[in-house]
Amino acid sequence: MAIVVKVYGNISPADQSLRLVLAEALQTAIADPISQDIETLVLIGDLLTISFEGVYFPEDEVVAVLQAHCTPKQTGKLDVLDIDAWRIRRYQIQDGHLHLRQASLNQVLDYSGF
C-alpha cells in the first residue's frame, strides 16, 4: 500500500473535547499499515498534535470540525501533503478562522517562503 497523503498539524490551546470530535471525524481514515500503531491525535497539556500517513484522510470532515470549533485564542496549522498531486494545502488557524494556502511541493522544497 503506497502512502498518498501525509498530514501533520498542531493546535493550541486544545482540550480533550476537541480531540474526541476530531477522532470521530477521522474514523474513515485509512492509514498506512506500518504507521497504524502511531497515535494520530496526541494531546499533551493544551497542545494537540496531528500526525497521519496513509491512503485516505477525511480532509473535508476534519476541516469542518476545525472551522466549527476553533476559537480566537487558538493558533496552529494543518498541513496536508497530497503526494499523488505533489501539492500541499496548509490550513492556518488564526483569529478564530482557518486560512487556506496551497502550493506545489516543489515550491516548499525550494524554500519559496510558503
Side-chain angles (χ1 to χ4, degrees), residues 24-39:
E24 186 174 320
L26 287 168
Q27 286 183 2
T28 60
I30 302 172
D32 177 57
I34 294 172
S35 62
Q36 279 183 327
D37 294 333
I38 298 172
E39 189 71 29

Side-chain angles (χ1 to χ4, degrees):
M1 180 183 311
I3 295 173
V4 295
V5 65
K6 297 181 180 190
V7 181
Y8 308 103
N10 60 70
I11 304 164
S12 179
D15 58 19
Q16 186 67 7
S17 64
L18 178 58
R19 192 191 75 73
L20 291 172
V21 175
L22 282 170
E24 186 174 320
L26 287 168
Q27 286 183 2
T28 60
I30 302 172
D32 177 57
I34 294 172
S35 62
Q36 279 183 327
D37 294 333
I38 298 172
E39 189 71 29
T40 301
L41 299 170
V42 176
L43 183 63
I44 301 171
D46 70 350
L47 175 66
L48 179 65
T49 61
I50 301 169
S51 300
F52 176 85
E53 294 184 359
V55 176
Y56 174 73
F57 182 82
E59 182 177 345
D60 293 339
E61 291 86 345
V62 169
V63 167
V65 167
L66 292 175
Q67 285 178 325
H69 291 88
C70 68
T71 68
K73 293 182 180 182
Q74 284 177 324
T75 61
K77 65 180 174 78
L78 181 72
D79 288 342
V80 179
L81 288 74
D82 182 340
I83 305 304
D84 279 346
W86 203 246
R87 305 260 323 148
I88 181 172
R89 289 179 294 283
R90 172 169 285 172
Y91 297 90
Q92 190 78 36
I93 301 167
Q94 187 176 1
D95 300 323
H97 301 285
L98 281 175
H99 306 278
L100 174 62
R101 292 174 50 200
Q102 301 183 61
S104 162
L105 284 173
N106 289 336
Q107 287 179 290
V108 176
L109 294 174
D110 289 338
Y111 305 102
S112 65
F114 179 76

